[in-house]
Amino acid sequence: MPLQSLPLKCLPLVAARDEPTEHRAPVVGRRSSSGFGRRRVVTPPTMSEFVDTPVLRVAYDVSGPADGHPVLAVHGWPDDIHCWDGVLPHLHRAGCRVYRPYLRGFGPTRFHSPDRPRSGQIGALGRDLADFLDALDLRDVVVAGHDWGARAGYVLGSLFPDRLRALVAMSAGYSTNRPDAPLPYSLTHAYWYEWFVASARGRRALDDDRRDLCRYLWTTWSPEWDFTESAFAQAAGAWDNPDWAEVSVHAYLHRWGEAAGDPAYQDIEDRLAEPPLIRVPTLVVHGECDGDNLASTTEGKDELFADAYRRVVLPGIGHFPPREEPRATADAILQLTPSTTVR
């Protein structure tokens, strides 16, 4: 059945048993049929693990059934891997093994070389995710990306689809990567912070006042969401990475043609200039009240998806669906995940 005709519905979830847990090496790829009918071990989120890619030492958390179907959950800006905390229990009970990497410039993730440009360009973020999947040899992966994670997910789905099963992209539309693309004034207004960091004053704010700036962004992007101070403080800890401000500034300067990219990613950027088709089944999820990437940014994109495609708008939700509506977010991911319900 085409994805377009599938209703967004809650998949049946079975309550987790109260069983002892243990940490095992991840089992990747599809879950074997022999997994059914025997006890499955669920690992809780733990201290970060690390894997080396050509450019980064990537910190990531992994949790869920050791033989579960792999889900790559990628955070946005300004946020961190804990945006998925409320989503995890639903995915675990449905039999998913969830990998949550810190993007470049966030948390414990570090560049190998001090001389590597601290680029935040979308081609670099997409290549980082492709390298992460290669390093862990993950296959048949469902990628769930929010904001920057969604944009990087689009790069995977269009240019590096071989390891992917499907893509769930949240709060960011797919479009050309050309900086001269038309932009309505409503979006120009919403993207004020992207122009702000082009100024010396904005860069000082990212360096010296990042928490107050980002608190304002969280508040205005999701005006109906009453986030807790503890949740904000936890995310803000990931922005103490020494490369966070430089990666953040470059991301927006490069996006609008105000800074050159890392030459290592020029081939990717050239291929993204006129957006290549997304080649995996895709579900786009957007909050109706998103004050950053307005909901209109994901409208009318059907022709950019070569495989099954569907868009869902969540009423009353702002920019952070994984935090504001974790159950609806999990249900969206499970729409494209093989049946792996825990027994």
Side-chain angles (χ1 to χ4, degrees):
M1 179 183 293
L3 183 60
Q4 293 93 327
S5 63
L6 289 174
L8 184 65
K9 59 182 184 300
C10 297
L11 299 185
L13 302 178
V14 177
R17 290 175 171 175
D18 294 326
E19 296 177 339
T21 61
E22 64 183 69
H23 182 75
R24 294 182 182 175
V27 178
V28 300
R30 290 182 180 270
R31 181 181 172 216
S32 67
S33 59
S34 61
F36 292 100
R38 61 180 173 85
R39 192 185 73 172
R40 307 180 62 215
V41 176
V42 177
T43 58
T46 61
M47 297 293 289
S48 293
E49 301 187 28
F50 295 85
V51 65
D52 288 313
T53 68
V55 176
L56 302 170
R57 187 170 193 245
V58 180
Y60 68 100
D61 281 14
V62 57
S63 59
D67 59 349
H69 193 92
V71 172
L72 178 66
V74 192
H75 67 83
W77 186 99
D79 211 335
D80 85 325
I81 67 168
H82 296 289
C83 71
W84 304 104
D85 282 358
V87 181
L88 289 180
H90 305 294
L91 297 184
H92 293 167
R93 289 195 293 268
C96 296
R97 181 78 166 170
V98 186
Y99 297 79
R100 297 183 294 161
Y102 286 92
L103 294 174
R104 56 170 56 198
F106 289 79
T109 291
R110 295 291 187 272
F111 287 84
H112 289 311
S113 171
D115 300 322
R116 184 81 186 202
R118 268 41 176 176
S119 171
Q121 67 196 92
I122 194 61
L125 298 179
R127 179 73 255 187
D128 288 347
L129 292 189
D131 290 341
F132 180 79
L133 295 179
D134 288 347
L136 293 181
D137 194 25
L138 295 174
R139 303 177 186 274
D140 199 34
V141 178
V142 175
V143 175
H146 173 249
D147 188 74
W148 277 22
R151 298 188 190 281
Y154 288 135
V155 178
L156 285 179
S158 60
L159 302 184
F160 306 101
D162 290 351
R163 292 183 180 272
L164 271 60
R165 179 186 183 90
L167 170 65
V168 181
M170 305 174 201
S171 307
Y174 184 50
S175 63
T176 176
N177 210 39
R178 289 173 37 226
D180 59 349
L183 192 71
Y185 285 113
S186 58
L187 271 181
T188 302
H189 176 76
Y191 291 160
W192 68 270
Y193 64 98
E194 300 190 15
W195 327 122
F196 183 52
V197 301
S199 69
R201 186 185 186 96
R203 289 193 288 273
R204 285 197 302 272
L206 280 182
D207 275 331
D208 303 329
D209 197 27
R210 62 189 64 176
R211 280 168 169 74
D212 281 349
L213 172 61
C214 293
R215 184 189 304 277
Y216 181 75
L217 296 179
W218 277 36
T219 300
T220 55
W221 290 356
S222 292
E224 301 301 318
W225 175 39
D226 186 20
F227 59 86
T228 66
E229 182 59 33
S230 60
F232 180 82
Q234 186 178 46
W239 314 333
D240 291 332
N241 183 303
D243 300 313
W244 184 84
E246 189 173 356
V247 169
S248 298
V249 168
H250 184 265
Y252 297 118
L253 293 182
H254 182 268
R255 182 178 183 185
W256 303 113
E258 301 295 331
D262 183 340
Y265 305 107
Q266 190 58 50
D267 177 62
I268 294 176
E269 297 293 339
D270 290 343
R271 295 164 69 189
L272 292 173
E274 294 299 334
L277 296 178
I278 303 295
R279 302 190 177 279
V280 297
T282 302
L283 177 60
V284 170
V285 178
H286 213 145
E288 177 188 39
C289 303
D290 191 333
D292 175 31
N293 294 316
L294 306 182
S296 59
T297 61
T298 54
E299 292 177 345
K301 304 288 187 176
D302 305 56
E303 73 281 358
L304 297 178
F305 296 84
D307 209 313
Y309 167 74
R310 186 168 176 242
R311 174 178 178 261
V312 172
V313 177
L314 300 178
I317 300 304
H319 183 67
F320 298 92
R323 291 186 179 273
E324 297 176 66
E325 278 289 348
R327 178 58 188 262
T329 297
D331 290 340
I333 295 168
L334 293 173
Q335 290 285 314
L336 299 178
T337 305
S339 177
T340 52
T341 305
V342 175
R343 297 189 177 187

